Amino acid sequence: MKIWYVGAYGIVSTTAMVGGMLIERNNFQKTGLVSELPYFDGLSKYSPLSFEFGGHEIRRVENAYQATLQHWEANRHFERHLLEEVREGLEKIQAKKGTAINCGSGVQALGELETLESRDLTLSEIVERLEKDLLEFADDDTVVINSASTEPLLNYSEKYHGSLDGFEKMIQDDVKEHASASILYAYVALKNGIPYGNFTPSPGSSIPALKELAVEKKTPHAGNDGKTGETLVKTTLAPMFAYRNLKVIGWMSYNILGDLDGLVLSHSENKESKVISKDKVLEKIYGYSPFSITQIEYFPSLVDNKTAFDFIHFEGFLGTKMKFYFIWDAVDAIVAAPLTIDIARFLLFAKKKGIYGVVRELGFFFKSPMDTNNVNTHSQFEELVKWFVDIF
Ligand SMILES: NC(=O)c1ccc[n+]([C@@H]2O[C@H](COP(=O)([O-])OP(=O)(O)OC[C@H]3O[C@@H](n4cnc5c(N)ncnc54)[C@H](O)[C@@H]3O)[C@@H](O)[C@H]2O)c1
């Protein structure tokens, strides 16, 4: 299968490419790939573990090998010889120039960017370029995954985002203030019947206009924002308090991270999308809103080693208050990369089974799953397995 990464030179995308190529070459161990659990036996018939990668990018880097090497030098997130084993394949991956329209000051801080809109192209011209790049790569077994940096909240307009006609009018009339990179990439994928997974909190395919397009084109899509670390633990642990009828009074989550993702999120407009995405889950699990603090701070020396400190204050029998603490300390790209492959594989499976529109059952993979309030990891997992078995 083919995976087109938006943000192809990021640490999540490049780590997925390294892992995907190693698995394909020598059946390398598959720890971390949910889709390889025995529950999903037979998936390979629809989405084999054999990959071609491409993508859009806005940072000027020679090829995916150079990009991976830069991340490796900062993080040493796997053994060096693994990178050399797939060097040749990575060198062949040269991302196409993408758009960073309305991606905020955080993305501008990534350094010297090469983007389509910096050449004064209209929205129609940008879309045309993105589409051309994607179609040169894509075949029937292609999925687009958005793993680009997090955008600020969309300047939402019912007129331009509320319907497909309005969206296409926005493009035609070049209304740039209501566009954003992630919705343009999602539009191009769905318009061409290519499944789309949004691993980021950016809007992607979640606006009504693009949901309409996905249904019209009978194309599956899923998002938003990969659930990989602190929120994974939170939505796995939070139900425990509910099952035991314990009342959670307050929950503090304090996240520190470095690397490019941390740098982008150190800009308040980019951070806002992420905090909202992480913060909404407790209300969905409990039906009430405990006092909550969710903070994400840039801590450069940690690079990709994201650390989260959580403090939970809860009340039990006779109104007695008690406390629970946890620390999550993980290499962000290592927990995230395999999930992007899982999402792509399940989306391709969905397409081949004639399933289209938002695939709610893939909510297991996301912090803010589209069109469902189920954020409980346990029932999400059961839902995913049942969905797979029912349609297999
Ligand atoms: N555990 C995780 O790592 C995790 C979990 C959930 C979500 N995410 C999200 O996944 C995304 C990628 O994370 P990462 O750690 O790989 O970040 P990263 O900064 O290493 O990679 C992002 C890449 O996207 C590129 N980019 C930015 N804007 C772009 C655009 N408009 N078009 C094309 N390319 C663009 C950047 O240049 C960079 O190479 C982030 O949005 C992050 O919040 C990551």
Side-chain angles (χ1 to χ4, degrees):
M1 62 179 297
K2 295 187 178 189
I3 306 181
W4 182 266
Y5 283 105
V6 177
Y9 291 160
I11 190 164
V12 171
S13 311
T14 52
T15 304
M17 290 174 190
V18 170
M21 287 178 182
L22 286 168
I23 287 171
E24 183 180 344
R25 274 167 64 111
N26 50 18
N27 208 18
F28 195 73
Q29 56 110 337
K30 297 162 195 156
T31 313
L33 270 185
V34 174
S35 54
E36 281 299 292
L37 285 169
Y39 304 97
F40 308 111
D41 264 359
L43 179 64
S44 289
K45 199 171 123 200
Y46 299 88
S47 356
L49 285 169
S50 124
F51 305 100
E52 236 182 89
F53 299 106
H56 278 117
E57 184 44 70
I58 52 167
R59 283 182 304 121
R60 196 186 304 160
V61 184
E62 211 178 310
N63 55 45
Y65 173 76
Q66 290 302 331
T68 316
L69 187 59
Q70 286 173 5
H71 292 300
W72 189 87
E73 277 167 353
N75 286 288
R76 301 181 187 244
H77 45 315
F78 45 78
E79 285 177 34
R80 175 65 196 259
H81 71 93
L82 296 176
L83 176 56
E84 293 313 312
E85 276 183 44
V86 292
R87 178 177 184 151
E88 214 180 308
L90 288 170
E91 278 174 343
K92 288 188 189 136
I93 302 169
Q94 291 182 331
K96 301 287 184 181
K97 198 179 298 177
T99 171
I101 194 157
N102 294 328
C103 284
S105 55
V107 167
Q108 294 305 324
L110 287 175
E112 201 192 330
L113 304 181
E114 273 198 345
T115 66
L116 292 173
E117 68 283 356
S118 55
R119 297 213 261 118
D120 273 345
L121 299 185
T122 63
L123 285 182
S124 302
E125 289 166 330
I126 291 171
V127 165
E128 210 176 287
R129 280 285 300 271
L130 298 178
E131 190 168 22
K132 182 172 166 288
D133 298 335
L134 177 59
L135 293 184
E136 272 170 15
F137 172 86
D139 61 9
D140 276 352
D141 287 357
T142 300
V143 176
V144 171
I145 295 291
N146 178 22
S147 46
S149 312
T150 301
E151 295 173 5
L153 293 176
L154 183 68
N155 179 12
Y156 187 82
S157 145
E158 191 52 34
K159 179 174 172 197
Y160 294 120
H161 304 132
S163 72
L164 183 56
D165 283 347
F167 189 87
E168 293 188 328
K169 189 158 172 44
M170 171 190 81
I171 295 175
Q172 246 165 36
D173 295 352
D174 199 27
V175 191
K176 288 206 170 85
E177 65 270 28
H178 287 296
S180 86
S182 73
I183 62 177
L184 298 182
Y185 290 120
Y187 172 69
V188 165
L190 295 173
K191 178 168 173 262
N192 289 286
I194 300 173
Y196 171 88
N198 186 9
F199 204 71
T200 81
S202 308
S205 62
S206 64
I207 57 173
L210 297 182
K211 287 183 179 170
E212 187 185 327
L213 177 63
V215 171
E216 189 179 290
K217 297 289 177 183
K218 298 200 173 340
T219 304
H221 62 125
N224 293 339
D225 201 8
K227 180 160 96 170
T228 59
E230 190 259 336
T231 311
L232 173 66
V233 182
K234 196 179 204 172
T235 53
T236 306
L237 190 63
M240 176 192 78
F241 294 97
Y243 301 150
R244 286 294 168 98
N245 200 9
L246 297 168
K247 184 171 183 220
V248 172
I249 315 161
W251 196 307
M252 184 216 72
S253 316
Y254 193 87
N255 299 263
I256 50 177
L257 77 161
D259 222 3
L260 299 182
D261 193 21
L263 173 68
V264 171
L265 295 176
S266 70
H267 290 248
S268 58
E269 54 176 348
N270 296 74
K271 179 156 69 179
E272 201 179 352
S273 317
K274 195 68 156 189
V275 171
I276 290 175
S277 177
K278 287 172 84 66
D279 207 23
K280 276 201 278 192
V281 293
L282 291 178
E283 198 185 318
K284 289 180 184 163
I285 289 174
Y286 297 130
Y288 61 88
S289 304
F291 173 75
S292 143
I293 297 174
T294 302
Q295 293 219 12
I296 305 174
E297 298 300 336
Y298 184 42
F299 202 106
S301 59
L302 278 181
V303 266
D304 204 41
N305 212 155
K306 155 104 89 50
T307 306
F309 306 85
D310 277 47
F311 166 70
I312 304 140
H313 204 195
F314 65 100
E315 192 176 294
F317 204 42
L318 307 178
T320 299
K321 294 186 177 58
M322 295 167 274
K323 295 162 192 162
F324 186 99
Y325 310 77
F326 73 80
I327 296 173
W328 171 264
D329 184 346
V331 180
D332 240 9
I334 293 296
V335 286
L339 299 190
T340 67
I341 295 177
D342 288 326
I343 294 163
R345 295 184 81 198
F346 283 118
L347 281 172
L348 184 57
F349 169 70
K351 177 181 156 180
K352 291 185 174 175
K353 288 290 186 179
I355 286 163
Y356 57 88
V358 174
V359 188
R360 283 191 289 273
E361 294 82 355
L362 294 187
F364 172 69
F365 293 105
F366 300 105
K367 287 190 195 74
S368 308
M370 274 196 274
D371 291 2
T372 170
N373 276 329
N374 183 14
V375 292
N376 174 328
T377 309
H378 313 274
S379 61
Q380 285 177 322
F381 184 67
E382 283 166 16
E383 201 173 272
L384 175 69
V385 173
K386 182 174 182 312
W387 171 78
F388 179 80
V389 171
D390 284 353
I391 59 173
F392 188 75

